Amino acid sequence: MLRNILRWALPLAAAYGIVLLLIEIGVIDNYLFATMMTICINIILATSLNLVVGFTGQLALGHAGFMAVGAYTCAIITMRVDGIGGFLLGVAAGAALAAFLGFLIGLPVLRLRGDYLAIATLGFSEIIRVAINNMEITNGAAGQSGIPRHVDWNWMFGFLALTLIFLWHYIRSSHGRRAVAVREDEIAAEAIGINTTRVKVQTFVIAAFFAGLGGALYASYFYVLQPNQFGFLRSIDILVIVVLGGLGSMSGSIIAAILLAVVSTALAQFTDVRMIIYSLTMVLIMIFRPGGIMGSREVSLGILGKAFGDKKKEVTR
């Protein structure tokens, strides 16, 4: 138990302390800090989507819709309830409502497979966006502005750490092993008594919950929301991070989120050819690493496990 705690506590504490120190001495300015917060939100979104796409093997394209639900719910509550209490209530309500919608959507949709599932989840995501675009409480197409900013590095890192720890332990639990069994062979999983629909809905609801959490943090930090921020391309951006990092690799999603942000920031000055270079970089990576940067492996925790003399039990593809 202590060994497992140390494997998580040491890298998380080191990351938190290093960034906090860089902020205090002024190395990280406002622009870099905003980029870093975007990376943290993308990690939450990508690792939760990886639970569905990478570990359960279900191609879902509706993550942006659940992110929008969390963002607008948190924004509406924090603009009406003052203080940290309102912020925490907004985050909890946004994540819970996203999970509830994930349950309602997942029950009928996850009986589909392959391209049909992708199209159905994309359709529901667009329904959510259009609904937000036409609701009075969300201020329609004008969006929300002046949202109270409560998220700082401490809050962001805390929610990120909780997300990673929960997802990691879920994947390594019996529930996670059932999800991997569904990914490998759904018919065989049913033959040994696994309720495949229940497994898929469960992972989908968990992913929706954390997508709502990511959306709530996004709203509370960037304090301006518009419906077009949560369109089809947003879901594709999250899926790109998952595929680039490696399907079935949590650390791969983390590395890919950081890498894409670094590449995008480095190319910011080349406005004319930015997207060309960015797209070419993605193509080259997928040509030479078709399984993603990490494949299905978990590097960082594996190294720490060896350091403590414990061989990591991987979920192999």
Side-chain angles (χ1 to χ4, degrees):
M1 178 66 69
L2 178 60
R3 190 176 297 168
N4 289 331
I5 293 175
L6 289 174
R7 288 170 63 183
W8 272 109
L10 289 180
L12 289 176
Y16 172 78
I18 291 172
V19 172
L20 190 62
L21 177 62
L22 294 176
I23 293 173
E24 292 294 330
I25 64 178
V27 174
I28 297 179
D29 57 17
N30 290 335
Y31 176 74
L32 290 178
F33 187 72
T35 301
M36 187 176 63
M37 300 298 266
T38 301
I39 291 173
C40 292
I41 293 171
N42 285 341
I43 289 174
I44 293 174
L45 295 170
T47 51
S48 59
L49 181 61
N50 206 348
L51 179 64
V52 176
V53 178
F55 290 94
T56 315
Q58 308 302 307
L59 181 57
L61 295 177
H63 231 46
F66 300 122
M67 181 185 178
V69 170
Y72 273 91
T73 302
C74 182
I76 291 169
I77 291 177
T78 54
M79 292 177 72
R80 289 163 174 78
V81 182
D82 296 331
I84 296 298
F87 163 64
L88 294 176
L89 177 62
V91 171
L97 182 57
F100 177 70
L101 289 178
F103 176 76
L104 294 181
I105 294 171
L107 273 179
V109 167
L110 289 171
R111 299 178 186 276
L112 303 173
R113 299 181 184 181
D115 297 339
Y116 299 104
L117 174 60
I119 294 171
T121 52
L122 175 61
F124 276 109
S125 178
E126 287 298 297
I127 289 173
I128 291 173
R129 186 185 64 82
V130 171
I132 290 174
N133 202 35
N134 290 276
M135 293 174 65
E136 183 177 348
I137 193 172
T138 61
N139 203 26
Q144 298 279 351
S145 61
I147 303 167
R149 175 182 281 183
H150 294 289
V151 172
D152 56 11
W153 172 240
N154 296 319
W155 282 113
M156 181 63 77
F157 185 84
F159 282 115
L160 174 62
L162 288 175
T163 300
L164 295 178
I165 291 173
F166 176 86
L167 292 176
W168 177 264
H169 284 89
Y170 179 85
I171 291 166
R172 265 62 193 173
S173 69
S174 59
H175 300 287
R177 290 192 289 271
R178 293 190 190 102
V180 174
V182 171
R183 179 193 69 191
E184 296 298 331
D185 193 322
E186 191 168 337
I187 296 176
E190 290 178 344
I192 61 175
I194 295 176
N195 187 332
T196 57
T197 300
R198 179 178 179 179
V199 170
K200 290 188 287 186
V201 171
Q202 186 179 68
T203 56
F204 193 74
V205 168
I206 292 173
F209 176 89
F210 286 107
L213 173 63
L217 296 175
Y218 180 91
S220 188
Y221 179 75
F222 290 101
Y223 61 82
V224 174
L225 295 176
Q226 288 186 328
N228 58 13
Q229 294 173 324
F230 307 100
F232 167 68
L233 292 179
R234 183 64 176 174
S235 292
I236 296 299
D237 287 341
I238 302 169
L239 182 62
V240 166
I241 296 174
V242 174
V243 175
L244 180 63
L247 296 176
S249 174
M250 298 290 289
S251 55
S253 295
I254 297 172
I255 294 171
I258 297 172
L259 176 63
L260 288 179
V262 170
V263 172
S264 181
T265 302
L267 296 176
Q269 55 184 323
F270 306 106
T271 54
D272 294 335
V273 294
R274 177 183 177 184
M275 290 310 299
I276 297 176
I277 298 176
Y278 183 85
S279 302
L280 181 61
T281 302
M282 296 300 100
V283 170
L284 291 176
I285 290 175
M286 296 314 299
I287 288 175
F288 293 103
R289 295 288 298 177
I293 296 172
M294 296 303 304
S296 59
R297 295 168 296 177
E298 305 286 354
V299 159
S300 58
L301 293 177
I303 293 174
L304 288 171
K306 291 179 181 178
F308 288 103
D310 181 31
K311 293 184 178 179
K312 178 176 68 68
K313 296 180 180 180
E314 294 184 340
V315 178
T316 58
R317 286 191 61 85

